[in-house]
């Protein structure tokens, strides 16, 4: 096999030429010149989700004849002109009943009526239908006590769809409505654009397919499935090929195989300057003109690589899942939509206030995912502060806002345009902003079961209280120790706030079972042993967290090795100790138990809920309190003390 890989320095040179977002897009579109791939005919059953390649006009009328839209009697409206309750008009019945699907034989002569069912064709002579409810049987016919207008209860031929009328336009995406229209005019198939078949390949030695057990240093391949799903959302057929290791031979082989036989190729990972960055070199060998942009002034997303090889789009998305998604939607999806025959995505936008300063890097178009809540003056867009490696940011966020390349930051209170991820995104009825606890998920699950939309935004206790003071949320979960009084939470409430008692969770020291510095000792002895051993590495906690306050109190000014390693969650502390990067740290008991770690209790911490004295939505808050009361067993099972 020939080796197509140019020297590594080549890819690095390319990366130095960082293009602006607009220049990268222009270069990609100019080289690709995207257009629909060609038409194909599909039967009704296979049409949903597909894009019409030509206008469709009706060859017949719908309905095909004048028909009754109620059960009753076909009449001549002139006969009933003077009918009234005082002087009902008598009509003789004709000797036939027009059911749905029967063609009338007899005309309706003056002074007569013909029984007719809904959907039945209107007989000659008749111009209206009286509802059966408005008649009474009488002798050889009926008595009608009210007048009817000409055309009453009749749907005329072609009144729904007229022969020759354009029914559906090219570019329409076919759903149930469109299938109904096609079928109503007798069409059993339609011409749609062929769907681009796009191959998806993840790259990285560390990647493990979802469903397989995780091994040390392994990471689940989330990009592959996410990109495949996003391709399908944008009119493409995704061919998900799994992950390939960072091995030049294997990579070159897999990329070439993925490229041939498909209309495009989306890779992820291996675009930045690192040991595994071979992908970009392999792309160069696929066909002319090759790479048109490598390095785009986006944040996140700088390592994006766009190429066109033999007329087909090839993109290497950054490895970090959120970077991969932003760059896909921003620069790759629009071209693929054109190839699929779809119009540009009609991005739903709303205007919202940014409550905190959003810093940004000058010179790069920056994306920030935000979650919406209702504030006192309209929508508030809370940045979902997570690194570019975070997948859950997508789940929490309602959309994103873009900080222009020339802005250094957005000041608190700035009005910004938020691009919504979906058209039907609405702020949750109950916004819970503050400290997160797994116990809270159990309570909120009950609310969701009861049909109440709630959203938890993990900003930490202080962030939650600030949002509550600004009236941008309904509930702020907090666990703050007041060092002077030793009391939890209540000392931190502002005027007009009330505290709903939550539960207690035991904080303590985590260690690996069998570690002689901790195992079998009491808290004081264990702590003394750990602090006396220069080899004992701890893991700290982030500033502003309740656990940090507790930890600092326990350490009384000591700064053991590892103190400045400060992750922001209990789980990160436990993972660090379990995997041997650190020997001890502080977290809550359920997390220690879930990871099989030893635990020395330190303090019972109170996790409570600050709420406004006058809630924005009393009914929703009452539902939350009820859910909380009913969650006692679930909380106990999770290792919390509902008190
Ligand atoms: P890379 O661009 O290959 O240097 O990867 C950057 C980061 O993204 C690393 O932490 C990778 O483990 C991670 N990453 C790369 N590909 C994937 C993927 N398919 N799914 C999830 N994470 C990934
Ligand atoms: Mg990689």
């Amino acid at each position: 096999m020939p080796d197509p890989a140019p020297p590594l320095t080549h890819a690095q040179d390319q990366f130095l030429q960082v293009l602006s977002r607009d220049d990268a897009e222009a270069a990609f579109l100019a080289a690709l010149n995207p257009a629909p791939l060609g038409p194909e005919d599909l039967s009704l059953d296979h049409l949903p989700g597909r894009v019409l390649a030509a206008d469709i006009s009706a060859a017949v009328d719908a309905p095909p004849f004048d028909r009754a839209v109620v059960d009753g009697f076909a009449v001549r409206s002139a006969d009933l002109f003077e009918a009234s309750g005082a002087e009902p008009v008598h009509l003789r019945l004709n000797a036939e009943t027009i059911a749905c699907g029967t063609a009338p034989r007899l005309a309706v002569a003056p002074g007569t009526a013909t029984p007719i069912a809904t959907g039945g064709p209107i007989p000659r002579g008749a111009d209206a239908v009286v509802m059966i409810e408005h008649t009474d049987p009488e002798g050889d016919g009926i008595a009608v006590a009210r007048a009817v207008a000409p055309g009453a209860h009749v749907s005329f031929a072609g009144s729904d769809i007229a022969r020759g009328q354009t029914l559906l336009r090219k570019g329409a995406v076919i759903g149930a409505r469109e299938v109904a229209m096609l079928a109503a005019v007798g069409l059993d198939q339609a011409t749609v654009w062929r769907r681009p078949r796009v191959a998806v390949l993840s790259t990285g030695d560390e990647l493990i397919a979802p469903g397989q057990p995780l091994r040390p240093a392994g990471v689940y391949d989330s990009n592959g499935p996410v990109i495949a799903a996003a391709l399908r959302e944008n009119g493409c057929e995704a061919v998900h090929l799994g992950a390939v290791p960072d091995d030049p031979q294997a990579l070159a082989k897999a990329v070439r195989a993925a490229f041939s036989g498909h209309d495009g190729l989306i890779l992820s990972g291996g675009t930045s300057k690192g040991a595994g960055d071979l992908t970009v070199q392999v792309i160069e060998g696929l066909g002319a003109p090759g790479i048109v942009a490598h390095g785009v002034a986006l944040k996140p997303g700088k390592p994006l690589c766009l190429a066109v090889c033999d007329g087909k789009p090839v993109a290497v998305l950054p490895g970090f899942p959120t970077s991969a998604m932003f760059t896909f939607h921003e620069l790759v999806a629009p071209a693929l939509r054109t190839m699929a025959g779809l119009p540009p995505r009609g991005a739903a936008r709303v205007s919202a206030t940014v409550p905190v300063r959003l810093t940004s890097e000058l010179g790069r178009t920056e994306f920030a995912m935000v979650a919406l809540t209702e504030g006192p003056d309209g929508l508030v867009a809370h940045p979902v502060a997570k690194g570019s490696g975070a997948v859950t940011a997508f789940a929490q966020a309602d959309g994103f806002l873009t900080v222009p390349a020339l802005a250094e930051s957005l000041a608190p209170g700035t009005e910004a345009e938020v691009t919504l991820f979906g058209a039907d995104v609405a702020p949750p009825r109950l916004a819970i902003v503050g400290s997160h606890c797994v116990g809270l998920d159990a309570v909120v699950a009950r609310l969701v079961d009861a049909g109440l939309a709630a959203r938890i935004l993990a900003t930490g206790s202080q962030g939650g209280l600030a949002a509550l003071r600004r009236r941008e949320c309904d509930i702020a979960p907090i666990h703050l120790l007041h060092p002077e009084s030793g009391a939890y939470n209540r000392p931190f409430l502002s005027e007009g706030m009330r505290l709903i008692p939550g539960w207690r969770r035991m904080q303590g020291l985590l260690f690996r079972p069998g570690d002689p510095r901790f195992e079998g000792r009491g808290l004081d002895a264990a702590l003394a042993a750990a602090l006396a051993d220069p080899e004992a590495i701890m893991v700290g906690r982030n500033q502003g967290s309740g656990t940090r306050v507790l930890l600092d109190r326990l350490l009384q000014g000591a700064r053991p090795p590892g103190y400045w390693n400060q992750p922001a969650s209990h789980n990160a502390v436990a993972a660090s100790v379990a995997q041997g990067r650190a020997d001890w740290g502080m977290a809550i008991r359920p997390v220690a138990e879930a990871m099989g770690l030893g635990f020395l209790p330190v303090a019972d911490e109170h996790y409570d809920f600050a709420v406004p004295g006058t809630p924005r939505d009393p009914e929703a808050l009452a539902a939350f309190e009820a859910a909380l009361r009913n969650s006692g067993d679930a909380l106990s099972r999770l290792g919390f003390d509902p008190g």
Side-chain angles (χ1 to χ4, degrees):
M1 190 206 307
D3 182 4
L8 186 63
T9 49
H10 183 75
Q12 293 191 344
D13 288 347
Q14 288 249 349
F15 196 67
L16 293 179
Q17 297 172 5
V18 173
L19 298 184
S20 73
R21 181 217 166 278
D22 292 351
D23 288 348
E25 181 177 55
F28 185 50
L29 294 180
L32 181 62
N33 199 9
L37 297 179
E40 64 180 333
D41 290 340
L42 290 182
S43 66
L44 290 185
D45 281 343
H46 296 101
L47 284 176
R50 302 301 296 264
V51 186
L52 275 181
D55 288 354
I56 294 209
S57 49
V60 296
D61 285 325
F65 46 82
D66 300 348
R67 67 182 177 195
V69 295
V70 295
D71 290 334
F73 301 90
V75 297
R76 290 175 169 254
S77 59
D79 285 347
L80 299 175
F81 189 57
E82 301 202 311
S84 67
E87 285 188 60
V89 170
H90 178 82
L91 298 174
R92 274 175 293 114
L93 287 189
N94 295 308
E96 72 170 336
T97 295
I98 304 171
C100 218
T102 40
R105 286 176 297 106
L106 307 171
V108 173
T112 72
T114 299
I116 190 165
T118 302
I122 304 293
R124 181 180 166 81
D127 66 353
V129 177
V130 244
M131 290 170 80
I132 194 155
E133 296 88 327
H134 298 155
T135 64
D136 285 307
E138 185 185 72
D140 62 350
I142 51 171
V144 187
R146 64 168 81 189
V148 292
H153 305 309
V154 175
S155 135
F156 289 98
S159 58
D160 187 0
I161 300 167
R163 186 188 304 239
Q165 178 188 341
T166 301
L167 259 196
L168 295 169
R169 300 215 176 264
K170 182 174 160 176
V173 180
I174 299 185
R177 281 187 312 175
E178 288 72 21
V179 169
M181 293 169 84
L182 293 168
V185 295
L187 295 173
D188 66 347
Q189 60 164 40
T191 306
V192 294
W193 293 119
R194 188 163 75 70
R195 242 190 326 224
R197 292 183 75 236
V198 180
V200 181
L201 191 63
S202 302
T203 71
D205 285 335
E206 73 281 25
L207 298 181
I208 296 173
Q212 300 300 309
L214 209 54
R215 54 172 161 67
V219 173
Y220 280 123
D221 172 13
S222 60
N223 287 347
V226 168
I227 295 164
L231 282 168
R232 292 182 188 116
E233 283 175 5
N234 285 282
C236 298
E237 184 182 326
V239 183
H240 185 198
L241 299 172
V244 58
D246 294 314
D247 163 68
Q249 304 276 307
L251 191 70
K253 196 168 156 215
V255 167
R256 271 193 238 109
F259 179 72
S260 71
H262 297 107
D263 300 308
L265 169 61
I266 313 283
L267 298 146
S268 69
T271 62
S272 45
K273 286 181 263 182
D277 300 332
L278 307 151
T279 328
V280 167
Q281 301 173 26
V282 177
I283 302 296
E284 282 290 28
L286 288 179
I291 291 172
V292 297
H294 183 203
V296 183
L298 301 173
K299 190 176 178 186
K302 188 173 174 186
L304 173 68
C305 173
L306 298 171
V308 177
C309 305
D310 286 347
K312 301 192 235 174
V314 177
V316 192
L317 307 179
F320 280 122
T322 44
S323 312
M325 268 302 91
F326 277 133
T327 50
F328 176 82
H329 284 296
E330 191 73 9
L331 290 171
V332 183
L336 291 173
R337 288 181 75 87
T338 306
M339 291 172 65
L342 284 170
R345 178 169 232 149
R349 287 167 197 270
V350 295
S351 176
T353 311
V354 184
V356 292
R357 180 171 299 281
L358 203 62
T359 55
S360 137
E361 190 181 313
L362 201 60
R364 279 166 81 182
T365 304
E366 195 156 328
F367 305 104
M369 279 201 245
V370 293
L372 297 174
T373 67
E374 208 79 63
D377 315 305
L379 290 175
V380 179
H382 302 266
V384 179
K386 297 244 171 149
S388 51
V391 189
T392 48
F394 266 107
Q396 283 201 341
D398 295 306
F400 63 90
L401 52 83
T402 308
V403 188
L406 292 178
E408 252 177 298
S409 69
L410 293 186
T414 305
E415 277 288 305
E417 284 267 286
V418 176
T419 304
L420 301 178
F421 286 137
D424 49 358
V425 170
R429 187 150 163 214
L430 209 54
I432 304 173
V433 179
S435 163
H436 184 251
C437 173
V438 285
L440 186 54
D441 292 328
V443 179
V444 167
R446 279 180 176 273
L447 283 177
V448 174
D449 285 346
L452 201 140
R455 152 105 36 68
I456 307 169
L457 274 178
T459 60
S461 299
Q462 299 286 11
L465 284 172
L468 196 64
R469 277 193 290 271
R470 294 191 303 261
R471 295 190 69 81
E472 292 168 1
C473 68
D474 303 280
I475 300 174
I478 55 174
H479 63 106
L480 289 169
L481 174 63
H482 190 242
E484 292 79 42
S485 64
Y488 268 99
N489 301 333
R490 209 167 287 283
F492 296 90
L493 297 187
S494 308
E495 215 176 289
M497 287 185 193
R498 155 174 94 86
L499 201 66
I500 299 175
W503 50 89
R504 275 166 286 149
R505 31 187 230 182
M506 186 52 82
Q507 291 265 24
L509 295 189
L510 273 47
F511 58 93
R512 284 183 300 281
D515 186 330
R517 294 165 292 197
F518 300 91
E519 191 76 69
R521 296 186 189 232
L523 175 64
D524 292 341
L527 186 63
L531 292 178
D533 180 359
E535 299 291 311
I537 298 179
M538 75 168 295
V539 49
R541 271 303 303 271
N542 58 313
Q543 184 73 42
S545 66
T547 305
R548 168 68 171 272
V549 177
L550 198 60
L551 190 59
D552 282 347
R553 243 164 78 118
L554 191 70
L555 290 176
Q556 293 184 335
R559 293 289 177 266
Y563 176 85
W564 299 107
N565 177 21
Q566 301 186 337
S569 78
H570 295 279
N571 289 56
V573 169
S576 211
V577 175
Q579 292 161 6
R581 289 191 301 282
D583 302 306
W584 63 287
M586 183 178 277
I588 54 176
R589 193 204 301 265
V591 168
E593 281 173 358
M595 292 240 194
L597 294 172
F599 185 83
L600 282 168
V602 172
D604 223 4
E605 176 186 68
H606 291 243
Y607 181 84
D608 301 317
F609 302 94
V611 297
T614 44
R616 311 193 297 178
D617 186 338
E619 197 189 328
L621 188 62
F624 176 83
E625 291 195 69
L628 183 60
R629 276 193 302 279
N630 294 327
S631 298
D633 289 348
L635 289 165
S636 303
R637 270 197 305 279
L638 287 169
F640 301 109
D641 180 358

